[in-house]
Amino acid sequence: MSMGKSIIIDAGHGGSDPGATAFGVKEKDWTLKISLYQYERLKELGAAVALTRSKDTTLDSAARTKVFRGQYDYCISNHWNAFNGKARGVETIHSIFADKTFASQLAKAVSNASGLPLRRVFSKKNASGTDWYFMHRLTGTTKTVIIEYGFLDHKEDHARYRTDAIFYAAAESVVEVVCKELGIRYKAPSEKAAATSLYRVQNGAFSKKEQAEALAKKLTGAGFEAVIVKG
Ligand SMILES: [Zn+2]
């Protein structure tokens, strides 16, 4: 067991808080999808990693941060932006007390992997001189970076993340930067692993072969790979 640094992955929003909504997608669903992927990958690579939520649960700012503040070295908080349909690009936000290097590396990596422009890397102070974002203000010594992968309500940003290849490339680019920061040896996922463990979907069980074949045909027609297994 390595004595490396630890990280917690935060899937933004959840439950009764959908976050942004655009083109039929809720931000909370994409943040969970990307967080679960990163969690599995980091675990596979030997990182000490945890999640703030692994399901569609509601977490207010206190509940979200209370369980891990100061207990992990790092936190990545996953989000998508929304504004006026015209703003676009990748943003990362670090604490006003933090060095911006890690946040810059994350922004560059996500921008490269997604093909979206790098909009900005920044921090924000409130009137009392503390961090404006609660993920920085309430997380103690845990070094937190908020990642805004793009604008959910920008047509092209949105379309890119609708493509699984781009979605997971962006997710993976964060895994690589995190490994470097944690001092863990990074290994790209094998195609076989991606096909078998990460994208495996079971789509129903039928007692009649004809029913199974009908669903398989439907899935194939929709562009999915379908395999009928007799079990
Ligand atoms: Zn958000």
Side-chain angles (χ1 to χ4, degrees):
M1 193 62 196
S2 83
M3 296 298 288
K5 292 171 179 164
S6 58
I7 186 162
I8 183 157
I9 307 289
D10 174 44
H13 311 280
S16 62
D17 167 21
T21 303
F23 305 113
V25 170
K26 294 186 180 91
E27 183 189 351
K28 67 171 184 176
D29 294 327
W30 280 10
T31 62
L32 183 59
K33 179 178 163 181
I34 206 161
S35 299
L36 289 173
Y37 174 89
Q38 291 165 343
Y39 171 75
E40 288 300 332
R41 282 286 294 138
L42 284 165
K43 211 167 62 174
E44 186 181 293
L45 290 160
V49 60
L51 281 164
T52 54
R53 67 179 178 99
S54 58
K55 283 178 284 193
D56 186 22
T57 40
T58 306
L59 287 173
D60 64 17
S61 55
R64 191 177 295 272
T65 54
K66 188 177 67 188
V67 291
F68 76 90
R69 67 178 296 167
Q71 294 178 55
Y72 290 82
D73 295 298
Y74 294 90
C75 173
I76 294 290
S77 185
N78 289 323
H79 288 263
W80 267 263
N81 253 319
F83 186 48
N84 59 2
K86 293 188 176 76
R88 67 173 309 201
V90 178
E91 294 185 343
T92 57
I93 312 155
H94 57 86
S95 164
I96 56 169
F97 304 109
D99 170 77
K100 72 187 295 176
T101 311
F102 184 40
S104 297
Q105 289 169 348
L106 289 165
K108 277 182 203 150
V110 172
S111 170
N112 285 338
S114 65
L116 266 62
L118 198 173
R119 186 177 164 88
R120 57 181 175 155
V121 176
F122 69 103
S123 62
K124 193 172 172 183
K125 198 186 275 188
N126 62 23
S128 57
T130 55
D131 271 296
W132 193 81
Y133 292 94
F134 78 84
M135 283 304 292
H136 298 129
R137 203 175 57 245
L138 305 180
T139 45
T141 54
T142 301
K143 195 172 168 185
T144 301
V145 175
I146 299 169
I147 304 179
E148 301 276 2
Y149 287 83
F151 282 71
L152 199 76
D153 64 344
H154 184 278
K155 219 173 167 182
E156 194 180 330
D157 282 15
H158 186 102
R160 282 183 177 263
Y161 286 108
R162 280 262 183 168
T163 308
D164 265 358
I166 294 175
F167 189 98
Y168 289 113
E172 184 67 26
S173 74
V174 169
V175 170
E176 186 171 4
V177 172
V178 165
C179 279
K180 208 172 131 201
E181 188 71 19
L182 297 182
I184 288 171
R185 188 195 303 263
Y186 172 76
K187 240 185 101 204
S190 69
E191 269 183 50
K192 192 168 160 260
T196 57
S197 67
L198 295 170
Y199 304 127
R200 181 166 33 197
V201 176
Q202 185 176 346
N203 226 296
F206 301 92
S207 56
K208 286 208 168 70
K209 195 175 171 226
E210 298 74 45
Q211 288 175 317
E213 282 171 350
L215 177 63
K217 209 175 153 194
K218 224 174 177 179
L219 286 168
T220 311
F224 295 98
E225 206 175 293
V227 180
I228 296 174
V229 182
K230 196 173 177 219

Tab-separated table of all heavy atoms in Angstrom, residues 12-13 19-20 27 31 78-81 148, ligand 1:
chain	number	residue	atom	x	y	z
A	12	GLY	N	-20.571	17.624	-8.421
A	12	GLY	CA	-21.340	18.812	-8.067
A	12	GLY	C	-22.849	18.582	-8.122
A	12	GLY	O	-23.329	17.752	-8.884
A	13	HIS	N	-23.565	19.327	-7.231
A	13	HIS	CA	-25.041	19.287	-7.188
A	13	HIS	C	-25.554	17.881	-6.824
A	13	HIS	O	-24.875	17.170	-6.117
A	13	HIS	CB	-25.617	19.795	-8.508
A	13	HIS	CG	-24.997	21.097	-8.923
A	13	HIS	ND1	-25.381	22.296	-8.388
A	13	HIS	CD2	-23.970	21.368	-9.778
A	13	HIS	CE1	-24.631	23.270	-8.912
A	13	HIS	NE2	-23.766	22.735	-9.743
A	19	GLY	N	-28.419	21.628	-10.598
A	19	GLY	CA	-27.397	22.484	-11.212
A	19	GLY	C	-27.968	23.079	-12.487
A	19	GLY	O	-29.178	23.297	-12.576
A	20	ALA	N	-27.114	23.305	-13.459
A	20	ALA	CA	-27.592	23.863	-14.731
A	20	ALA	C	-28.361	22.806	-15.522
A	20	ALA	O	-28.143	21.614	-15.340
A	20	ALA	CB	-26.402	24.355	-15.540
A	27	GLU	N	-26.946	19.131	-15.190
A	27	GLU	CA	-25.533	19.167	-14.788
A	27	GLU	C	-25.209	18.063	-13.783
A	27	GLU	O	-24.168	17.415	-13.872
A	27	GLU	CB	-25.213	20.545	-14.191
A	27	GLU	CG	-23.744	20.716	-13.808
A	27	GLU	CD	-23.494	22.003	-13.023
A	27	GLU	OE1	-24.406	22.834	-12.919
A	27	GLU	OE2	-22.365	22.151	-12.497
A	31	THR	N	-21.966	15.523	-13.856
A	31	THR	CA	-20.929	15.586	-12.811
A	31	THR	C	-20.777	14.217	-12.131
A	31	THR	O	-19.671	13.814	-11.782
A	31	THR	CB	-21.226	16.665	-11.743
A	31	THR	OG1	-22.438	16.359	-11.066
A	31	THR	CG2	-21.320	18.052	-12.359
A	78	ASN	N	-16.339	18.696	-9.575
A	78	ASN	CA	-16.703	18.665	-10.998
A	78	ASN	C	-17.999	19.413	-11.296
A	78	ASN	O	-19.024	19.170	-10.650
A	78	ASN	CB	-16.831	17.211	-11.456
A	78	ASN	CG	-15.479	16.518	-11.533
A	78	ASN	OD1	-14.491	17.133	-11.916
A	78	ASN	ND2	-15.444	15.236	-11.174
A	79	HIS	N	-17.938	20.303	-12.293
A	79	HIS	CA	-19.099	21.129	-12.672
A	79	HIS	C	-19.109	21.421	-14.169
A	79	HIS	O	-18.075	21.324	-14.840
A	79	HIS	CB	-19.061	22.476	-11.940
A	79	HIS	CG	-19.371	22.368	-10.490
A	79	HIS	ND1	-20.633	22.601	-9.975
A	79	HIS	CD2	-18.587	22.018	-9.446
A	79	HIS	CE1	-20.598	22.403	-8.660
A	79	HIS	NE2	-19.380	22.046	-8.316
A	80	TRP	N	-20.312	21.819	-14.640
A	80	TRP	CA	-20.438	22.471	-15.944
A	80	TRP	C	-21.049	23.842	-15.714
A	80	TRP	O	-21.882	24.017	-14.821
A	80	TRP	CB	-21.324	21.663	-16.891
A	80	TRP	CG	-20.526	20.717	-17.738
A	80	TRP	CD1	-20.098	20.910	-19.016
A	80	TRP	CD2	-20.067	19.402	-17.374
A	80	TRP	NE1	-19.378	19.815	-19.452
A	80	TRP	CE2	-19.346	18.881	-18.462
A	80	TRP	CE3	-20.163	18.623	-16.208
A	80	TRP	CZ2	-18.756	17.617	-18.450
A	80	TRP	CZ3	-19.574	17.371	-16.176
A	80	TRP	CH2	-18.879	16.878	-17.295
A	81	ASN	N	-20.658	24.788	-16.511
A	81	ASN	CA	-21.144	26.149	-16.433
A	81	ASN	C	-22.442	26.331	-17.216
A	81	ASN	O	-22.788	25.507	-18.055
A	81	ASN	CB	-20.107	27.082	-17.066
A	81	ASN	CG	-19.354	27.902	-16.033
A	81	ASN	OD1	-19.960	28.385	-15.088
A	81	ASN	ND2	-18.061	28.071	-16.227
A	148	GLU	N	-14.790	23.554	-14.195
A	148	GLU	CA	-15.960	23.796	-15.044
A	148	GLU	C	-15.544	23.307	-16.428
A	148	GLU	O	-14.757	23.954	-17.120
A	148	GLU	CB	-16.306	25.291	-15.078
A	148	GLU	CG	-16.608	25.901	-13.710
A	148	GLU	CD	-18.052	25.700	-13.257
A	148	GLU	OE1	-18.847	25.058	-13.971
A	148	GLU	OE2	-18.390	26.204	-12.164
B	1	ZN	ZN	-22.303	23.524	-10.968
